[in-house]
Amino acid sequence: MNEKFYLTTAIAYASRKPHFGNTYEVIMADAVARYKRLRGCDVFFCTGTDEHGQKIENLAIEAGISPKSYVDGVAAEIRGIWDKMNTTYDYFIRTTDDYHEAAVQKIFKKFYEQGDIYKGYYEGWYCTPCESFFTETQVVDGKCPDCGRPVKQAREEAYFFKMSNYVDKLLAHIDSNPEFIQPESRKKEMINNFLRVEGGLQDLCVSRTSFKWGIPVDFDPRHVTYVWLDALTNYITALGYDPDKTYEEQSEHFKKYWPCDVHIIGKDILRFHTIYWPIFLMALGLPLPKKVFGHPWFNAAEEKKGGQGDEVKMSKSRGNVIYADELAETFGVDGVRYFALSEMPYDQDGRICYTNVLLRYNTDLANNLGNLVSRTHAMTLKYFGGVIPAPAGEEEPDGDLKATVASAVAQYEKLMDEYRIADAADAVFNMLRRANKYIDETMPWALAKDESRKARLGTVLYNLLECIRTAAVLLTPFIPETVEKIAAQLGTALGDYESTKTFGVLSAGTTLGAAAPLFARVDEKVVDEIIKKREEAALAAEKANAPVEKPEGCALIGIEDFMNVELRTAKVVACEKVPKAKKLLKLQIDLGYEQRQVVSGIAKFYEPEALIGKKIIVVANLKPATLCGIESQGMILASGEEQVRVVFLDPETPLGERVR
């Protein structure tokens, strides 16, 4: 029976569309899942969405819809992006799934009945975006220590989990399982900053009463389960965990895959996964995960030739947020996957901008891989009619090429097992760079001119094709669609993972498949245009978000002066452009008690048909004026100067009402 391997991502918070940094996590987890399947493991890969909490409740109110409708839309968008990135998850859990909510209620009650949870009051600093409470010493200049946003004082009745009951047991587990928290630097951070601190680990707030969008505590319905107890338990509810049963009594499916082999999460939520989650599991009497891997972040880098711009925070206001699905429109899905996996260091933050993606795409994928496959296929077709030649003997530099391939395979396996994904990719591309150098060293075009060197030419091309085959197998977790194209061009199955440890697996005499380009070079001008549009959007956003200076204003007037201006509601019944006047529109308006004609200088901002049927506000007692020979009987209310916006009314507004 194949070895089981259960891995998860952190479930994505269903508040907004995930940016590239969020999407990196599921791409990395997919690469690990594909690698483990390649090694023959029975993989169960789980991801999903975290859908409760105050932030989502607030966003739903802003959108004017129910929280469930809101998360339905965002969860569908998240899953769509995961699918577009060709991720092969086996299960997608939503924390609004009925079975998950029922299990969470039972878990909460179980903790309460066995004395792990008690009722009290929480008073402290609260960060809404992070759904987290912080102490006075944890808050930095009035801001959240995790996300840097402002925090606010909060006091409310809540249930708490007695973390102190399990701290010693958790520390003993960490000490006896050195691989439990990775990378090593993250483990030291958790121990020194949270577990071995003066005053000890604080009890954790596990319920809220200040909002309703959460899983109700069934024995105290004023409370809803705090998001972290709700979210973390998805890793076991997705396997069908039943809180009413012991571990031995759980389903065969659950016992097969639990404990989890690795939780792949962002470094910012390591505390929840390496302290609170293990303690919850201890309280449930369940085995702990074998490993929690906290990956770094992708930071936005300023666009600059060479891709060496300074790092800046990714934010909508800066206009530098990059989304994986939009990036794929230019570089393809495999281009996006490869960049994500090859650019993120093991324990330091990665950098992303369009310039960096372009460089990585053209250098590695288009040049090193794509060009190698294209040249080798073309030479085999030209010199051997597209049939894989048989190798005959060995000359220099064949031995060095084969040694490079063997070394790359060994490095790759070790690095992938350690989750050093970018380093593993680099090992494969070092092999491909060596193969390209091998072409320059052996000069197949020169060998083809000497009939006595035909056998040598066949050996050279065979070695190149075998190198490509090996690389394709190793790159399956990175660029799976491209690997399928390579296999089609080789005209044969690539072989399993173990085949990469033997040089010479390709069968001589096999006819190659049809040639097809793998990666077309992306012109810098394409990216320059994208960058230009993003900069324009950023400037527009910056202008829109800029603080408004207080105008000098006019002299103050009394209420009697204001009441002399007669503002009335009206409806636009007809509208057309004024000939020979680029700025003017002629509107026919209905005040309910009469119809009038108004001329307005808004032609640059509105098409006539867009205004017909709209309800507006009109200065009804303005003296008539003549504009371009057309009489205007009033003025419509609008704001702005460079960008004029007409004040539109609710469609149900009666006509002719006085505006006060």
Side-chain angles (χ1 to χ4, degrees):
M1 186 176 182
N2 293 337
E3 179 186 355
K4 73 90 181 175
F5 191 85
Y6 178 35
L7 79 157
T8 75
T9 67
I11 50 177
Y13 197 49
S15 57
R16 302 285 189 191
K17 177 180 178 178
H19 59 59
F20 185 84
N22 306 134
T23 309
Y24 163 75
E25 184 172 298
V26 75
I27 294 174
M28 179 197 171
D30 181 68
V32 173
R34 287 177 181 271
Y35 167 71
K36 291 296 181 179
R37 293 190 194 105
L38 201 60
R39 297 293 306 276
C41 292
D42 178 358
V43 173
F44 192 80
F45 171 19
C46 185
T47 187
T49 42
D50 175 9
E51 302 183 10
H52 293 123
Q54 186 173 11
K55 183 177 180 180
I56 286 175
E57 183 175 88
N58 292 343
L59 289 169
I61 291 171
E62 290 175 15
I65 57 178
S66 70
K68 185 60 166 63
S69 295
Y70 185 88
V71 295
D72 283 348
V74 178
E77 185 173 36
I78 290 171
R79 189 166 188 171
I81 294 173
W82 282 197
D83 291 342
K84 184 176 180 63
M85 290 299 106
N86 205 4
T87 59
T88 54
Y89 54 85
D90 296 285
Y91 197 77
F92 191 98
I93 186 171
R94 298 179 58 186
T95 56
T96 52
D97 290 336
D98 291 345
Y99 70 90
H100 172 79
E101 293 190 341
V104 169
Q105 286 184 316
K106 289 182 179 180
I107 289 171
F108 195 105
K109 189 173 183 179
K110 183 183 182 77
F111 287 163
Y112 180 74
E113 290 177 344
Q114 64 190 31
D116 287 315
I117 284 179
Y118 64 92
K119 185 188 282 189
Y121 280 89
Y122 189 90
E123 185 168 8
W125 295 103
Y126 182 70
C127 175
T128 299
C130 291
E131 304 274 3
S132 299
F133 284 104
F134 296 98
T135 64
E136 189 73 40
T137 57
Q138 290 173 317
V139 171
V140 181
D141 297 328
K143 295 180 180 179
C144 171
D146 287 344
C147 72
R149 295 182 178 92
V151 292
K152 61 182 180 181
Q153 276 286 343
R155 185 181 190 275
E156 62 182 272
E157 184 181 85
Y159 284 93
F160 292 84
F161 191 101
K162 294 180 181 178
M163 290 287 152
S164 56
N165 289 354
Y166 297 89
V167 170
D168 291 342
K169 188 176 179 181
L170 176 58
L171 281 168
H173 179 84
I174 294 172
D175 289 341
S176 59
N177 293 272
E179 297 295 313
F180 177 58
I181 304 174
Q182 291 293 314
E184 183 71 19
S185 59
R186 310 267 190 261
K187 178 169 67 176
K188 293 177 180 177
E189 178 187 345
M190 293 301 105
I191 293 174
N192 297 333
N193 293 355
F194 296 100
L195 292 173
R196 289 188 173 131
V197 293
E198 185 177 350
L201 181 64
Q202 291 191 330
D203 291 347
L204 180 69
C205 175
V206 291
S207 80
R208 300 292 305 279
T209 55
S210 57
F211 61 91
K212 297 298 182 185
W213 181 238
I215 301 173
V217 175
D218 56 0
F219 60 86
D220 194 348
R222 287 184 57 249
H223 291 253
V224 294
T225 306
Y226 180 56
V227 67
W228 284 107
L229 178 57
D230 169 10
L232 290 165
T233 52
N234 92 89
Y235 304 127
I236 52 177
T237 62
L239 295 176
Y241 173 70
D242 185 345
D244 293 331
K245 297 179 179 179
T246 65
Y247 176 73
E248 291 73 20
E249 295 170 335
Q250 298 295 325
S251 68
E252 290 304 313
H253 180 71
F254 180 86
K255 288 189 291 185
K256 176 182 180 181
Y257 290 108
W258 192 262
C260 180
D261 290 88
V262 63
H263 291 310
I264 294 175
I265 61 165
K267 64 180 183 180
D268 55 320
I269 54 174
L270 200 69
R271 169 166 52 105
F272 303 100
H273 285 77
T274 59
I275 298 177
Y276 305 139
W277 177 226
I279 286 177
F280 291 157
L281 289 169
M282 289 175 180
L284 290 171
L286 294 177
L288 271 55
K290 296 178 182 178
K291 188 188 298 289
V292 180
F293 184 84
H295 65 75
W297 291 344
F298 260 112
N299 291 325
E302 292 178 325
E303 300 289 356
K304 187 177 180 181
K305 296 295 183 184
Q308 299 302 312
D310 295 333
E311 289 183 7
V312 290
K313 186 178 179 181
M314 197 179 289
S315 68
K316 287 186 177 181
S317 62
R318 289 179 180 268
N320 62 1
V321 175
I322 294 178
Y323 297 103
D325 55 338
E326 295 176 3
L327 202 62
E329 294 173 6
T330 303
F331 299 100
V333 171
D334 275 359
V336 173
R337 285 177 61 98
Y338 177 72
F339 176 83
L341 296 168
S342 62
E343 194 71 16
M344 178 70 87
Y346 175 68
D347 58 1
Q348 296 179 352
D349 290 344
R351 297 151 60 90
I352 181 171
C353 63
Y354 272 84
T355 307
N356 278 357
V357 179
L358 174 73
L359 288 170
R360 177 72 73 170
Y361 178 92
N362 282 344
T363 301
D364 286 359
L365 298 180
N367 287 354
N368 288 333
L369 175 60
N371 199 32
L372 174 65
V373 174
S374 176
R375 294 169 73 190
T376 305
H377 190 285
M379 288 188 291
T380 306
L381 183 64
K382 181 177 181 179
Y383 303 135
F384 290 92
V387 176
I388 298 176
E394 183 175 300
E395 298 181 16
E396 288 296 332
D398 299 357
D400 188 61
L401 175 68
K402 292 177 182 178
T404 301
V405 172
S407 175
V409 172
Q411 290 178 53
Y412 172 90
E413 183 172 318
K414 181 178 185 296
L415 292 166
M416 288 296 287
D417 285 340
E418 295 175 351
Y419 304 103
R420 296 179 181 270
I421 311 297
D423 295 331
D426 195 46
V428 179
F429 274 83
N430 278 337
M431 179 178 73
L432 294 172
R433 284 187 281 271
R434 181 65 187 90
N436 278 302
K437 182 182 177 183
Y438 178 76
I439 293 177
D440 296 334
E441 292 169 334
T442 57
M443 297 188 293
W445 52 89
L447 294 172
K449 295 176 181 179
D450 185 350
E451 187 61 30
S452 68
R453 300 289 281 165
K454 185 82 171 181
R456 175 58 186 159
L457 175 61
T459 299
V460 168
L461 292 178
Y462 180 89
N463 289 343
L464 288 168
L465 290 167
E466 178 67 356
C467 184
I468 290 169
R469 180 198 71 82
T470 303
V473 175
L474 300 181
L475 288 173
T476 299
F478 294 78
I479 47 175
E481 290 183 354
T482 302
V483 166
E484 290 180 7
K485 294 177 183 178
I486 293 173
Q489 292 190 51
L490 291 178
T492 184
L494 295 175
D496 60 16
Y497 179 79
E498 288 302 310
S499 73
T500 63
K501 298 176 182 179
T502 302
F503 194 94
V505 172
L506 273 179
S507 297
T510 302
T511 301
L512 296 181
L518 300 181
F519 297 99
R521 282 185 61 84
V522 175
D523 195 298
E524 286 187 13
K525 293 180 181 178
V526 174
V527 170
D528 288 343
E529 186 60 31
I530 293 172
I531 293 171
K532 181 181 177 182
K533 289 180 180 178
R534 287 171 60 81
E535 288 174 346
E536 290 173 351
L539 286 173
E542 184 178 345
K543 187 174 182 180
N545 294 326
V548 179
E549 293 184 7
K550 183 178 180 180
E552 292 183 6
C554 303
L556 295 176
I557 63 173
I559 186 64
E560 65 281 358
D561 296 315
F562 173 75
M563 293 304 294
N564 286 333
V565 180
E566 187 179 349
L567 302 175
R568 296 278 179 183
T569 59
K571 180 180 179 180
V572 180
V573 295
C575 185
E576 61 182 284
K577 293 183 179 180
V578 175
K580 299 181 181 180
K582 295 181 179 180
K583 297 182 179 180
L584 300 180
L585 292 180
K586 182 172 67 174
L587 300 86
Q588 304 299 326
I589 62 171
D590 183 3
L591 287 155
Y593 54 85
E594 67 180 35
Q595 291 198 0
R596 292 189 188 181
Q597 177 173 281
V598 175
V599 178
S600 180
I602 58 174
K604 287 175 59 179
F605 310 102
Y606 294 95
E607 292 297 324
E609 56 271 17
L611 296 172
I612 296 173
K614 298 287 188 183
K615 290 188 177 179
I616 59 175
I617 299 174
V618 181
V619 181
N621 63 337
L622 193 66
K623 292 180 180 179
T626 301
L627 302 173
C628 289
I630 302 173
E631 186 178 51
S632 178
Q633 300 169 304
M635 179 183 291
I636 66 174
L637 255 61
S639 67
E641 296 178 2
E642 294 182 9
Q643 175 67 48
V644 174
R645 298 174 180 83
V646 173
V647 177
F648 294 120
L649 300 174
D650 187 305
E652 302 300 319
T653 304
L655 299 181
E657 276 193 335
R658 183 82 185 264
V659 178
R660 300 178 184 274

